[in-house]
């Protein structure tokens, strides 16, 4: 039901404003709403197929850059309620799966979820609970992660970094917990998440107004562009192994908003990209 409503632009904007308001008033109330009424497990029916593609990407990139995942530790950033990448990588002898998420979706195990995981590997569940010896949920508070230095071999995220408030502090903290030569695989979605994914209109809104209405909403984005991310990684001693770039914004949208946005064309036209980096 909610998935259908989100496809109607006007309603989606109103729901984002409402979510922002509820989170500002009481985060506890919103957590209950998300777990019981807005659980991302129900977002897509092709949950398994989607996650298969993700874990395959991670595995193939690690293989390409000579990192054997056997007995390695992987951290996934904000997977929401999707079938986590670990569900498949455990079959490849991954040592431990760490996750950072605002809400612990492991708390809710229903018949649908149990069926999904049991079809992949029955060892994921112990009775009505996940195997928490393999899964470790980390806290991320005040730009700090509850983990010792040099613990992680692989960090993965899909459409997460565009939602992070302070990108540079996040990268520095993740670098702290990463081992030397750890590989990071991040796909970053630079499109608008609130109004229209084909338009650059969202870049023209005043920062104060944009944050006031949407900052606590799932659809809020930091509006940083391609060259910003690349610069931050290079300045923090990362080696860029590979970049896959999609240029999906058309000339019509660029022409309409170019005068209002003081950025170069190449930084506007890029809509998504995957960045594979290695910690030096």
């Amino acid at each position: 039901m909610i998935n259908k409503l989100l496809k109607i632009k006007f309603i989606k904007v109103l729901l984002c404003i409402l979510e922002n308001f509820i989170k500002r008033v009481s985060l506890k109330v919103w957590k209950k709403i998300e777990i019981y009424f807005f659980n991302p497990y129900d977002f897509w029916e092709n949950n398994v197929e989607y996650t298969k593609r993700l874990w395959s990407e991670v595995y193939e990139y690690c293989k390409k850059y000579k990192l054997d995942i056997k007995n390695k530790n992987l951290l996934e950033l904000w997977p929401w309620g999707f079938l986590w990448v670990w569900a498949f990588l455990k079959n490849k002898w991954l040592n431990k799966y760490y996750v950072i998420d605002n809400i612990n979706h492991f708390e809710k195990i229903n018949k649908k979820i149990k069926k999904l995981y049991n079809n992949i590997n029955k060892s994921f569940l112990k009775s009505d609970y996940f195997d928490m010896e393999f899964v470790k949920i980390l806290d991320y508070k005040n730009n700090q992660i509850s983990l010792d230095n040099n613990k992680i071999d692989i960090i993965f995220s899909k459409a997460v970094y565009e939602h992070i408030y302070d990108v540079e502090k996040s990268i520095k903290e993740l670098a702290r917990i990463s081992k030397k030569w750890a590989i990071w695989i991040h796909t970053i979605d630079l499109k608008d998440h609130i109004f229209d994914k084909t338009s650059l209109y969202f870049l023209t809104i005043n920062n104060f107004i944009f944050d006031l209405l949407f900052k606590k909403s799932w659809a809020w984005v930091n509006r940083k562009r391609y060259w910003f991310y690349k610069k931050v990684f290079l300045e923090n001693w990362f080696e860029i192994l590979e970049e896959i770039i999609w240029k999906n914004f058309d000339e019509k949208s660029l022409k309409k908003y170019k005068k209002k946005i003081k950025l170069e064309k190449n930084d506007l036209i890029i809509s998504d990209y995957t960045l594979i980096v290695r910690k030096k």
Side-chain angles (χ1 to χ4, degrees):
M1 178 65 179
I2 290 178
N3 215 12
K4 292 179 180 179
L5 290 175
L6 290 175
K7 293 179 180 179
I8 304 172
K9 292 179 183 179
F10 177 71
I11 294 178
K12 182 180 179 182
V13 173
L14 288 180
L15 287 175
C16 288
I17 293 173
L18 178 61
E19 178 191 354
N20 177 70
F21 175 76
I22 294 172
K23 283 183 175 179
R24 288 180 183 275
V25 173
S26 174
L27 191 57
K28 289 183 179 180
V29 170
W30 179 259
K31 285 184 177 182
K32 290 182 179 180
I33 291 172
E34 182 163 334
I35 290 174
Y36 296 104
F37 301 103
F38 190 59
N39 195 308
Y41 273 117
D42 301 323
F43 274 14
W44 296 340
E45 293 180 359
N46 63 338
N47 198 310
V48 176
E49 289 73 19
Y50 172 75
T51 314
K52 278 182 179 178
R53 293 198 301 273
L54 295 189
W55 86 263
S56 180
E57 285 179 19
V58 174
Y59 182 71
E60 291 301 323
Y61 281 128
C62 289
K63 185 178 177 181
K64 182 176 182 179
Y65 294 105
K66 313 300 181 185
L67 179 62
D68 184 356
I69 73 165
K70 187 176 181 180
N71 298 322
K72 297 296 191 299
N73 297 324
L74 179 142
L75 169 63
E76 186 173 359
L77 307 181
W78 285 278
W80 279 30
F82 296 118
L83 258 175
W84 293 275
V85 169
W86 68 270
F88 295 95
L89 290 179
K90 187 178 182 184
N91 291 333
K92 295 290 184 180
W93 304 102
L94 185 73
N95 179 54
K96 189 174 283 290
Y97 167 83
Y98 294 86
V99 61
I100 295 175
D101 206 337
N102 291 331
I103 293 177
N104 181 6
H105 294 281
F106 291 93
E107 293 176 352
K108 182 188 177 186
I109 307 293
N110 57 31
K111 290 182 179 180
K112 178 181 176 181
I113 297 167
K114 288 170 69 174
K115 182 179 178 181
L116 287 171
Y117 280 93
N118 280 327
N119 285 342
I120 302 168
N121 186 324
K122 293 183 182 298
S123 71
F124 296 145
L125 302 175
K126 289 186 176 181
S127 184
D128 292 332
Y129 298 92
F130 283 99
D131 178 6
M132 300 310 290
E133 293 178 5
F134 180 72
V135 178
K136 175 68 175 177
I137 303 168
L138 301 176
D139 289 326
Y140 184 67
K141 295 180 180 178
N142 300 319
N143 296 309
Q144 293 185 324
I145 300 170
S146 55
L147 193 67
D148 294 335
N149 297 350
N150 306 313
K151 288 289 186 181
I152 302 297
D153 301 281
I154 308 155
I155 296 181
F156 169 76
S157 73
K158 185 77 169 183
V160 169
Y161 252 104
E162 68 269 20
H163 300 288
I164 292 178
Y165 301 147
D166 195 322
V167 174
E168 188 164 12
K169 284 184 179 179
S170 167
I171 289 174
K172 287 181 177 178
E173 180 64 0
L174 289 172
R176 177 187 67 79
I177 65 172
S178 297
K179 296 178 183 177
K180 189 175 183 179
W181 310 123
I183 288 180
W184 294 14
I185 304 160
H186 299 296
T187 296
I188 304 172
D189 184 351
L190 303 180
K191 298 188 295 295
D192 171 42
H193 288 48
I194 299 171
F195 305 98
D196 183 355
K197 286 198 170 188
T198 65
S199 170
L200 291 166
Y201 165 72
F202 76 113
L203 294 177
T204 69
I205 302 173
N206 174 273
N207 287 333
F208 175 79
I209 299 298
F210 190 77
D211 289 349
L212 179 67
L213 294 177
F214 303 113
K215 193 167 186 178
K216 298 295 183 178
S217 164
W218 70 272
W220 177 89
V221 291
N222 56 39
R223 300 191 288 180
K224 303 297 184 185
R225 309 309 293 168
Y226 164 74
W227 283 107
F228 170 84
Y229 288 101
K230 188 168 183 175
K231 178 175 176 285
V232 171
F233 275 105
L234 290 173
E235 287 179 347
N236 286 279
W237 302 99
F238 281 88
E239 173 190 4
I240 295 178
L241 299 174
E242 187 174 341
E243 295 175 286
I244 302 167
I245 296 173
W246 290 270
K247 297 182 177 181
N248 289 337
F249 287 119
D250 57 29
E251 294 291 337
K252 183 179 179 181
S253 185
L254 287 174
K255 186 177 180 180
K256 185 176 181 180
Y257 298 111
K258 184 70 172 69
K259 291 181 179 180
K260 296 181 180 180
I261 308 169
K262 297 178 181 180
L263 291 170
E264 296 297 323
K265 178 180 176 181
N266 285 340
D267 219 5
L268 291 176
I269 202 168
I270 296 173
S271 61
D272 313 76
Y273 74 104
T274 295
L275 184 67
I276 301 96
V277 299
R278 180 159 50 201
K279 180 185 174 184
K280 294 182 180 179

